[in-house]
Coordinates of all heavy atoms in Angstrom, one line a residue:
L1 N -1.6 8.1 1.2 CA -1.2 9.4 1.8 C -2.3 9.8 2.8 O -1.9 10.3 3.8 CB -1.0 10.4 0.7 CG 0.3 10.4 -0.1 CD1 0.1 11.3 -1.3 CD2 1.4 10.9 0.7
A2 N -3.5 9.7 2.4 CA -4.6 10.0 3.3 C -4.7 9.2 4.6 O -5.0 9.7 5.7 CB -6.0 9.9 2.6
V3 N -4.4 7.9 4.5 CA -4.5 7.0 5.6 C -3.2 7.0 6.6 O -3.2 6.3 7.6 CB -4.9 5.6 5.2 CG1 -6.2 5.6 4.5 CG2 -3.8 4.9 4.5
A4 N -2.2 7.6 6.0 CA -0.9 7.7 6.7 C -0.9 8.3 8.0 O -0.1 8.1 8.9 CB 0.1 8.2 5.8
T5 N -1.8 9.3 8.2 CA -1.9 10.0 9.5 C -2.6 9.3 10.6 O -3.1 8.2 10.4 CB -2.6 11.3 9.3 OG1 -4.0 11.1 8.7 CG2 -1.9 12.2 8.3
R6 N -2.5 9.7 11.8 CA -3.1 9.0 12.9 C -4.6 9.0 13.0 O -5.2 8.2 13.5 CB -2.5 9.6 14.3 CG -1.0 9.5 14.3 CD -0.6 9.8 15.8 NE 0.9 9.9 15.9 CZ 1.6 10.2 17.0 NH1 0.9 10.5 18.0 NH2 2.9 10.4 17.0
Y7 N -5.2 10.1 12.3 CA -6.6 10.2 12.3 C -7.0 10.9 10.9 O -6.2 11.7 10.4 CB -7.1 11.0 13.5 CG -8.6 10.8 13.8 CD1 -9.0 9.7 14.6 CD2 -9.6 11.5 13.2 CE1 -10.2 9.4 14.9 CE2 -10.9 11.2 13.4 CZ -11.3 10.2 14.4 OH -12.6 9.9 14.6
S8 N -8.0 10.6 10.4 CA -8.4 11.1 9.0 C -9.8 11.5 9.0 O -10.7 10.9 9.6 CB -8.1 10.0 8.0 OG -8.8 8.9 8.2
F9 N -10.1 12.5 8.1 CA -11.5 13.0 7.9 C -11.6 13.1 6.3 O -10.6 13.2 5.5 CB -11.6 14.4 8.4 CG -11.7 14.5 10.0 CD1 -10.6 14.6 10.8 CD2 -12.9 14.5 10.6 CE1 -10.7 14.7 12.1 CE2 -13.1 14.5 11.9 CZ -11.9 14.7 12.7
I10 N -12.9 13.1 5.9 CA -13.3 13.4 4.5 C -14.6 14.1 4.5 O -15.4 13.9 5.3 CB -13.4 12.0 3.7 CG1 -13.6 12.2 2.3 CG2 -14.5 11.1 4.4 CD1 -13.6 11.0 1.4
V11 N -14.5 15.2 3.7 CA -15.8 16.0 3.6 C -16.8 15.1 2.8 O -16.5 14.3 2.0 CB -15.6 17.3 2.9 CG1 -14.7 18.2 3.6 CG2 -15.1 17.2 1.5
P12 N -18.2 15.4 2.9 CA -19.2 14.6 2.2 C -19.1 14.4 0.8 O -19.4 13.4 0.3 CB -20.5 15.3 2.8 CG -20.2 16.0 4.0 CD -18.7 16.4 3.8
S13 N -18.7 15.4 0.1 CA -18.6 15.4 -1.3 C -17.3 15.0 -2.0 O -17.2 14.7 -3.1 CB -19.0 16.8 -2.0 OG -17.9 17.7 -1.6
A14 N -16.2 14.6 -1.1 CA -15.0 14.2 -1.6 C -15.0 12.7 -1.9 O -15.8 12.0 -1.6 CB -14.0 14.5 -0.5
T15 N -14.0 12.3 -2.9 CA -13.9 11.0 -3.3 C -12.5 10.4 -3.2 O -11.6 11.2 -3.1 CB -14.3 10.9 -4.9 OG1 -13.3 11.6 -5.6 CG2 -15.7 11.6 -5.1
M16 N -12.6 9.1 -3.1 CA -11.3 8.3 -3.2 C -11.5 7.2 -4.2 O -12.6 6.7 -4.4 CB -11.1 7.6 -1.8 CG -11.0 8.6 -0.6 SD -10.6 7.7 1.0 CE -8.8 7.5 0.8
I17 N -10.4 7.0 -5.0 CA -10.5 6.0 -6.0 C -9.4 5.0 -5.8 O -8.2 5.3 -5.6 CB -10.3 6.6 -7.5 CG1 -11.6 7.5 -7.8 CG2 -10.2 5.5 -8.4 CD1 -11.4 8.1 -9.2
M18 N -9.8 3.7 -5.7 CA -8.8 2.7 -5.6 C -8.8 1.9 -7.0 O -9.8 1.6 -7.5 CB -9.3 1.6 -4.5 CG -9.2 2.1 -3.1 SD -7.6 2.0 -2.4 CE -7.1 0.4 -2.7
H19 N -7.6 1.8 -7.6 CA -7.4 1.1 -8.8 C -6.1 0.4 -8.8 O -5.2 0.8 -8.1 CB -7.6 2.0 -10.0 CG -6.6 3.0 -10.2 ND1 -5.3 2.8 -10.5 CD2 -6.7 4.4 -9.9 CE1 -4.6 4.0 -10.5 NE2 -5.4 5.0 -10.1
P20 N -5.9 -0.6 -9.8 CA -4.6 -1.3 -9.8 C -3.5 -0.3 -10.4 O -3.8 0.8 -10.9 CB -4.9 -2.3 -10.9 CG -6.3 -2.4 -11.0 CD -6.8 -1.1 -10.7
V21 N -2.2 -0.7 -10.0 CA -1.1 0.0 -10.6 C -1.1 0.0 -12.1 O -1.4 -1.1 -12.7 CB 0.2 -0.6 -10.0 CG1 1.4 0.1 -10.6 CG2 0.2 -0.5 -8.5
R22 N -0.7 1.1 -12.7 CA -0.8 1.3 -14.2 C 0.5 1.9 -14.7 O 1.2 2.6 -13.9 CB -2.0 2.1 -14.6 CG -3.3 1.6 -14.3 CD -4.4 2.5 -14.6 NE -4.3 3.8 -13.9 CZ -5.4 4.7 -13.8 NH1 -6.6 4.3 -14.2 NH2 -5.2 5.8 -13.2
M23 N 0.8 1.8 -15.9 CA 1.9 2.5 -16.5 C 1.5 2.7 -18.0 O 0.6 2.0 -18.6 CB 3.1 1.6 -16.5 CG 3.2 0.4 -17.4 SD 4.9 -0.5 -17.6 CE 5.8 0.9 -18.3
N24 N 2.3 3.7 -18.6 CA 2.2 4.1 -19.9 C 3.4 3.6 -20.8 O 4.5 3.5 -20.1 CB 2.0 5.6 -20.1 CG 0.7 6.1 -19.5 OD1 -0.4 5.4 -19.5 ND2 0.7 7.2 -18.7
G25 N 3.2 3.5 -22.1 CA 4.4 3.2 -23.0 C 4.6 1.7 -23.2 O 3.8 0.9 -22.8
M26 N 5.6 1.4 -23.9 CA 5.9 0.1 -24.3 C 6.4 -0.8 -23.1 O 7.0 -0.3 -22.2 CB 7.1 0.1 -25.3 CG 7.4 -1.3 -25.9 SD 8.7 -1.2 -27.1 CE 8.0 -0.2 -28.4
V27 N 5.9 -2.1 -23.1 CA 6.2 -3.0 -22.1 C 7.1 -4.1 -22.7 O 6.7 -4.8 -23.7 CB 5.0 -3.7 -21.4 CG1 5.4 -4.7 -20.4 CG2 4.2 -2.6 -20.8
L28 N 8.3 -4.3 -22.2 CA 9.2 -5.4 -22.5 C 9.3 -6.4 -21.4 O 9.5 -6.2 -20.3 CB 10.6 -4.8 -22.9 CG 10.8 -3.9 -24.1 CD1 12.0 -3.5 -24.2 CD2 10.2 -4.5 -25.3
G29 N 9.2 -7.7 -21.8 CA 9.2 -8.7 -20.7 C 7.9 -8.7 -19.9 O 8.0 -8.4 -18.8
T30 N 6.9 -9.2 -20.6 CA 5.5 -9.1 -19.9 C 5.5 -9.9 -18.6 O 5.0 -9.4 -17.6 CB 4.5 -9.6 -20.9 OG1 4.4 -8.9 -22.0 CG2 3.1 -9.5 -20.2

């Protein structure tokens, strides 16, 4: 969402977190 614009800014104290896709609950067919 942040990189979708034509130009982007971030304030010095702000953070971004990159992590893998996750889900909650039971998983069938691993």
Side-chain angles (χ1 to χ4, degrees):
L1 284 166
V3 304
T5 55
R6 298 190 191 180
Y7 203 87
S8 55
F9 288 86
I10 185 170
V11 297
S13 63
T15 64
M16 303 182 79
I17 293 182
M18 291 284 302
H19 65 71
V21 176
R22 300 176 300 201
M23 72 171 292
N24 296 320
M26 183 180 297
V27 175
L28 298 176
T30 303

